Amino acid sequence: MTTALDIDALWVGSPFAPVFSPNMHPALTLVFASVGLVYAGKFAVTRADLKREVLFAGVASAALGLAAILGVQALGLYL
């Protein structure tokens, strides 16, 4: 039978360890935001080529999404 002490032993230590060092979060935020904004700009000026538009939109949304997550983590909130 599992006791409360067994359950407490499972929660000892840090419940979350970030993938990147917390010292790198602000720099990675700027890198991903820059990449995302460049590809968002490329998406805005690309016309009549659906394959490129989809590629640029996907890269831009992924990079800006990572920038948002890492930016919040840089502030100390782990999602």
Side-chain angles (χ1 to χ4, degrees):
M1 177 172 225
T2 304
T3 65
L5 292 174
D6 294 334
I7 294 171
D8 287 340
L10 293 173
W11 290 99
V12 173
S14 177
F16 177 77
V19 176
F20 304 110
S21 169
N23 296 333
M24 292 179 58
H25 287 172
L28 287 173
T29 299
L30 291 175
V31 168
F32 281 118
S34 299
V35 169
L37 290 174
V38 166
Y39 276 93
K42 284 184 172 188
F43 170 77
V45 298
T46 301
R47 298 283 182 240
D49 189 3
L50 186 60
K51 190 188 293 186
R52 277 189 166 175
E53 286 182 10
V54 170
L55 175 68
F56 292 160
V59 171
S61 68
L64 290 173
L66 284 171
I69 296 293
L70 288 170
V72 175
Q73 287 179 349
L75 296 174
L77 179 64
Y78 292 98
L79 302 173

